[in-house]
Amino acid sequence: MFDNIGWIVEAKIIDGKRDEFEAVMHEMVAATRQEGGTLNYQYFVSDDGDVLVYERFATIESAHIHINNWNHYAERWVAAAPATRMVHLGDLPEELSIRHVALAPKMLKPFGGFAR
């Protein structure tokens, strides 16, 4: 039904680690901007440190490329803001969803609506 796939990651910034998280986030945004198949890579944060990251990819291959690049930043990212929830959006094949198994993502399949 939808051409693209993606996910949402939620995290909580550890008290006193906001500067560290912001630094790695800026590095990742700059690196991800170079990934041609990453359509959305957007961070949202609350005043008390709840983080939501919305990620959308043109193809399965572009999602794999992003995960490979994420691995360079993962240790610093998680040390400042451990993930609390992950939701997969779309029909992700097993070889892609298994790469997030440690986060036990909730799988949400297309149901209705549209994307432009």
Side-chain angles (χ1 to χ4, degrees):
M1 179 182 295
F2 303 134
D3 292 332
N4 311 126
I5 54 106
W7 46 79
I8 293 170
V9 178
E10 295 178 5
K12 181 71 172 183
I13 299 172
I14 296 170
D15 288 339
K17 298 278 189 174
R18 188 176 181 114
D19 289 344
E20 290 91 340
F21 183 76
E22 193 169 343
V24 72
M25 184 258 320
H26 285 301
E27 289 176 38
M28 289 185 61
V29 168
T32 302
R33 191 176 298 277
Q34 304 306 310
E35 300 169 1
T38 300
L39 304 174
N40 295 76
Y41 189 63
Q42 299 169 294
Y43 280 73
F44 302 86
V45 67
S46 69
D47 290 339
D48 62 349
D50 291 317
V51 175
L52 184 142
V53 187
Y54 172 61
E55 305 179 44
R56 186 171 69 100
F57 306 94
T59 64
I60 301 300
E61 178 61 26
S62 58
H64 280 292
I65 289 168
H66 178 72
I67 293 170
N68 290 341
N69 290 336
W70 148 262
N71 289 336
H72 300 290
Y73 303 93
E75 187 175 322
R76 289 174 48 220
W77 199 98
V78 172
T84 57
R85 181 173 188 241
M86 184 172 204
V87 177
H88 279 180
L89 306 170
D91 291 315
L92 277 72
E94 185 176 353
E95 78 268 6
L96 185 58
S97 61
I98 200 161
R99 296 187 74 181
H100 292 140
V101 72
L103 295 174
K106 183 171 192 77
M107 305 295 237
L108 297 180
K109 306 263 185 200
F111 192 61
F114 68 92
R116 293 182 194 229

